[in-house]
Amino acid sequence: MRILSVLFLFFIFSQVIAEPKALKPRQKEVSQVSLKKIDETSAILVPHFGIKLYLFPDTKSDVIKILKFGEKIVYDKETLEETSDKWIPVRTEEGLTGHVIREVVLSIPKHQYLNRLIFEADKLLSKKSTSLYQRMEITDSLFQVATNGEYTGDEFVLSRTKAGYGLKRTLDSLNEKKIKPDTSAELLDFLKRHQSKLLYDYSDSVYYVDPNYFWKLIEVSPNTKHADYAAYLAAEVLPAPDCKKDLACELETIRKSKMRYIYQFPNGNYVSIYFKDIIAKLKDITKDPDAIACYKPLPVAIQSEIGTMSRYIQEYSVRHRREIQPYIKILQDECLN
């Protein structure tokens, strides 16, 4: 009897402290009509690797295809299946129709597709766990989007720049792991696909993105808001060679990357950082004027580099020009006069 009394009191107490039903959050249910409307007007983004396209809305049905990261898919308006909160009927660019699990893809407003694709790509490219072949998949997807003719102006420059960035991160992984191009047919095909944008340094056995890929992009669209970022990548992709005190090599390395960036964008976002690096390098080169390797006859390469540097700094701000001019003058006095 005492046990029953205790249980009764516990029941009464639990009801008192329990959250009232009216205050409990209700699960918001989206109607089939609303889901269909959202699907029809949204862009569907594949943000992961290995997402399966099923024949029917059932994980036990046949898998038609493994979708790649960023692969273009759209809502299949001709589907006979009922819309559900678990599945989306879709169509691929090559005309395949099937179903994807709703929670593994992203349905976003069409005007936000490019920015969201780039966000997801950047997130994966920044992870050490992302494999070389996954990076290749991301890069191919970014170039596919950048070259499909859908984007113009700022968006065109952004898409092309980010595609180049994806290629850079892929090559970084390739070089760091010292993977040879003929390791697999897939890798060899990838390098051949992008060979017009690649350079190879035989001395260090590394691939890198041709800086002219970015500089040409800037020449075509110089006033877009992402041109500064493209110029930054143009300066960054150039590998720093071991010049071994070769003056022509040292001057060319500075001039082709950071000096050119400031010449193109004297008020750019990276000017302060790059200018400090340039001054530090020139200070080291000219600290002992008598030791500057300007032997007669003076190589044409050194003459050319000093002349180009002199031209570049004319476009610098007054403050930067005043600070860098003494070092350029030392080079001119020792090598040209």
Side-chain angles (χ1 to χ4, degrees), residues 81 83 89 184 259 263 318 321:
E81 298 288 343
T83 300
S184 70
M259 284 196 75
Y263 170 71
V318 174
R321 189 163 63 247

Side-chain angles (χ1 to χ4, degrees), residues 10-77:
F10 176 77
F11 174 77
I12 295 298
F13 181 74
S14 65
Q15 292 300 304
V16 171
I17 65 171
E19 182 181 2
K21 290 183 180 179
L23 298 180
K24 289 183 177 179
R26 293 182 178 179
Q27 295 293 330
K28 187 176 180 180
E29 295 183 1
V30 182
S31 67
Q32 288 185 347
V33 175
S34 297
L35 275 176
K36 185 176 180 181
K37 186 176 180 180
I38 292 171
D39 291 339
E40 288 178 337
T41 57
S42 296
I44 302 173
L45 173 62
V46 179
H48 306 293
F49 307 104
I51 291 178
K52 296 176 180 178
L53 177 65
Y54 292 95
L55 182 59
F56 299 110
D58 185 341
T59 54
K60 294 181 180 179
S61 72
D62 293 336
V63 175
I64 303 174
K65 183 181 181 181
I66 301 297
L67 299 172
K68 294 183 178 295
F69 172 88
E71 184 168 343
K72 199 79 171 181
I73 57 174
V74 295
Y75 175 75
D76 181 15
K77 295 181 180 180

Side-chain angles (χ1 to χ4, degrees), residues 69 113-124 162:
F69 172 88
Y113 181 84
L114 177 61
N115 286 334
R116 190 55 188 267
L117 171 67
I118 289 171
F119 173 80
E120 297 296 333
D122 282 347
K123 190 165 61 175
L124 290 169
K162 278 298 183 180

Side-chain angles (χ1 to χ4, degrees), residues 240-251:
D242 182 7
C243 290
K244 298 178 180 177
K245 297 299 182 179
D246 179 84
L247 183 60
C249 174
E250 291 181 319
L251 296 180

Side-chain angles (χ1 to χ4, degrees), residues 22-225:
L23 298 180
K24 289 183 177 179
R26 293 182 178 179
Q27 295 293 330
K28 187 176 180 180
E29 295 183 1
V30 182
S31 67
Q32 288 185 347
V33 175
S34 297
L35 275 176
K36 185 176 180 181
K37 186 176 180 180
I38 292 171
D39 291 339
E40 288 178 337
T41 57
S42 296
I44 302 173
L45 173 62
V46 179
H48 306 293
F49 307 104
I51 291 178
K52 296 176 180 178
L53 177 65
Y54 292 95
L55 182 59
F56 299 110
D58 185 341
T59 54
K60 294 181 180 179
S61 72
D62 293 336
V63 175
I64 303 174
K65 183 181 181 181
I66 301 297
L67 299 172
K68 294 183 178 295
F69 172 88
E71 184 168 343
K72 199 79 171 181
I73 57 174
V74 295
Y75 175 75
D76 181 15
K77 295 181 180 180
E78 299 178 4
T79 182
L80 299 178
E81 298 288 343
E82 291 290 336
T83 300
S84 76
D85 60 350
K86 293 183 179 179
W87 295 89
I88 304 179
V90 297
R91 180 183 298 273
T92 67
E93 283 194 308
E94 67 264 46
L96 296 176
T97 58
H99 298 78
V100 293
I101 298 173
R102 185 178 293 275
E103 65 179 15
V104 300
V105 295
L106 296 173
S107 294
I108 53 181
K110 292 181 179 179
H111 69 278
Q112 294 179 6
Y113 181 84
L114 177 61
N115 286 334
R116 190 55 188 267
L117 171 67
I118 289 171
F119 173 80
E120 297 296 333
D122 282 347
K123 190 165 61 175
L124 290 169
L125 289 170
S126 66
K127 291 183 177 180
K128 290 184 178 180
S129 58
T130 303
S131 72
L132 172 64
Y133 292 93
Q134 288 172 335
R135 293 173 191 274
M136 289 160 51
E137 188 172 310
I138 293 171
T139 300
D140 281 337
S141 174
L142 290 173
F143 272 107
Q144 177 67 28
V145 169
T147 57
N148 65 9
E150 184 176 347
Y151 299 107
T152 59
D154 288 340
E155 289 186 327
F156 170 75
V157 175
L158 177 61
S159 64
R160 294 283 292 181
T161 302
K162 278 298 183 180
Y165 172 73
L167 183 57
K168 176 187 182 303
R169 292 304 300 265
T170 302
L171 296 176
D172 288 345
S173 179
L174 176 71
N175 295 329
E176 287 167 8
K177 296 176 181 178
K178 300 185 184 302
I179 299 174
K180 294 183 178 180
D182 57 358
T183 299
S184 70
E186 187 179 359
L187 175 56
L188 198 57
D189 287 343
F190 174 84
L191 294 173
K192 287 180 179 178
R193 260 194 315 277
H194 300 287
Q195 62 183 345
S196 64
K197 302 176 281 289
L198 302 180
L199 292 176
Y200 185 71
D201 186 338
Y202 287 92
S203 60
D204 293 327
S205 300
V206 297
Y207 283 94
Y208 61 97
V209 182
D210 185 350
N212 284 324
Y213 168 81
F214 297 106
W215 291 125
K216 288 177 181 177
L217 186 60
I218 295 165
E219 289 174 6
V220 174
S221 308
N223 299 317
T224 55
K225 65 181 181 180

